[in-house]
Amino acid sequence: MFSLSYFLQQSMNGVILGCIYALLALGMTVVYGILRLINFAHGALITLGAFCMYFVFFRLGCPFVASIFLVLGFGGLMGLVLDFVAYRKLLGGPEVALLITSLGFYTFIENSTKLLASPQPYAFKTPSFLATLYRTPFLTFRAIDVFIILSSFAIMFAFHLFVRRTKMGIAMRATSENLEVANLMGIEVNRVISVAFVLGSAIAAFTGFLWGAKYGQISYDMGFLTGVKAFVAVVVGGVGSVPGAMLGGFVLGLAEILSIAFLPTRFAEYRDGIVFAILILVLLVRPSGIMGMKEEVRV
């Protein structure tokens, strides 16, 4: 009933979805590592990136590469706005204030998109050169599938080099270790936080394009559940761990697709519940996540 080609096909689908979750989890972890903030507004940036690509590429007819850079720049700009408008004045205050603010900004952006665009979903056509279909003895895939995998791994690798090899990356690692001490050592903490928001938001906006190009539809509320799943990937992989966040994304993507593929068809509508069941299972077995480190509890 389940052939090798079927298993490989579904595994590839799981890896593609995992790439999307991993990129979102990466952007969310960058901000969390410094501010200890689960940025729920991150989900809204997926929506903004998708709609930005829709209008500049399909409506205005900008070249594809230029459109990608515009989406990245727009996402980075929105991250900078979130930093200055929403979070900068709250630094040092109660963490719950930052959390509520992130939820408030998500709601504001979602409803603004609904008002300016439409409550109805938009058809998002895959660019023609990325819609080419390829067939092999074991796999059938489109060019967009390869593009998602290659671009995702390229971004992850580039981010790894940025964090490990650049002065700003080292400053981000130091700030995530201890914000107060980093400030005393002469690191411009506010600048580091701004860079974290810009990078994370640009990645989220780009992921919005990947989502639309892969699944052919975008809507004003597309970022909510996707953002929540990215947060689940962060927790599963280990909160605060960049490699863990990426691993968590792939675990969720594979688990979500393979569970639908191999369980009876009536379970397909419970795919979201399966994701959260994995979260509960991981927390029961390893509360710190797969690659997370235990933190000391301070009284």
Side-chain angles (χ1 to χ4, degrees):
M1 181 178 178
F2 300 115
S3 62
L4 175 61
S5 61
Y6 181 78
F7 173 76
L8 293 176
Q9 183 69 62
Q10 298 305 323
S11 296
M12 183 177 182
N13 294 338
V15 169
I16 294 168
L17 183 59
C19 285
I20 293 176
Y21 288 158
L23 284 181
L24 293 176
L26 173 62
M28 192 173 283
T29 301
V30 171
V31 174
Y32 178 87
I34 296 175
L35 295 181
R36 296 296 185 267
L37 163 68
I38 297 299
N39 183 22
F40 284 102
H42 197 72
L45 297 170
I46 307 169
T47 306
L48 292 178
F51 275 94
C52 179
M53 187 67 181
Y54 176 84
F55 283 105
V56 300
F57 183 69
F58 294 106
R59 290 291 183 89
L60 300 180
C62 292
F64 178 74
V65 175
S67 299
I68 291 293
F69 279 104
L70 285 173
V71 169
L72 290 171
F74 177 69
L77 178 62
M78 289 304 301
L80 203 60
V81 170
L82 285 174
D83 175 31
F84 277 94
V85 176
Y87 305 123
R88 182 64 60 88
K89 298 295 183 180
L90 297 177
L91 290 180
E95 292 182 359
V96 68
L98 289 167
L99 179 63
I100 293 173
T101 301
S102 71
L103 289 170
F105 259 82
Y106 172 82
T107 305
F108 172 76
I109 294 174
E110 181 187 85
N111 283 274
S112 297
T113 307
K114 181 180 180 181
L115 178 65
L116 296 174
S118 169
Q120 301 300 321
Y122 280 60
F124 193 101
K125 295 182 180 179
T126 305
S128 57
F129 60 91
L130 291 178
T132 307
L133 187 67
Y134 299 94
R135 297 182 184 276
T136 70
F138 295 103
L139 292 172
T140 300
F141 57 90
R142 295 185 298 163
I144 184 61
D145 299 328
V146 179
F147 180 81
I148 290 174
I149 294 174
L150 293 180
S151 61
S152 298
F153 277 97
I155 290 173
M156 294 175 197
F157 181 69
F159 184 80
H160 172 76
L161 291 180
F162 172 79
V163 171
R164 295 291 175 181
R165 302 291 178 85
T166 67
K167 294 179 70 173
M168 178 55 69
I170 295 171
M172 290 176 65
R173 289 161 54 198
T175 306
S176 65
E177 187 71 26
N178 193 307
L179 191 147
E180 289 79 9
V181 173
N183 191 33
L184 291 173
M185 295 297 292
I187 295 176
E188 297 182 38
V189 172
N190 287 334
R191 184 184 175 195
V192 171
I193 293 173
S194 296
V195 171
F197 270 102
V198 168
L199 288 177
S201 301
I203 293 173
F206 178 72
T207 308
F209 155 65
L210 295 182
W211 184 276
K214 171 62 179 174
Y215 298 107
Q217 180 176 287
I218 59 175
S219 62
Y220 74 94
D221 60 347
M222 61 180 286
F224 177 72
L225 188 57
T226 311
V228 171
K229 288 181 179 180
F231 169 60
V232 173
V234 171
V235 177
V236 168
V239 177
S241 170
V242 172
M246 293 185 286
L247 176 61
F250 285 111
V251 168
L252 285 195
L254 284 167
E256 186 173 337
I257 295 299
L258 292 180
S259 62
I260 297 171
F262 291 99
L263 289 175
T265 54
R266 65 178 181 274
F267 287 97
E269 59 185 291
Y270 302 112
R271 59 188 295 175
D272 298 331
I274 292 170
V275 169
F276 289 96
I278 293 172
L279 170 65
I280 294 171
L281 179 62
V282 170
L283 291 178
L284 288 175
V285 175
R286 187 175 173 81
S288 59
I290 298 174
M291 299 183 67
M293 301 294 291
K294 293 182 179 180
E295 296 184 2
E296 295 181 2
V297 178
R298 300 179 181 178
V299 180

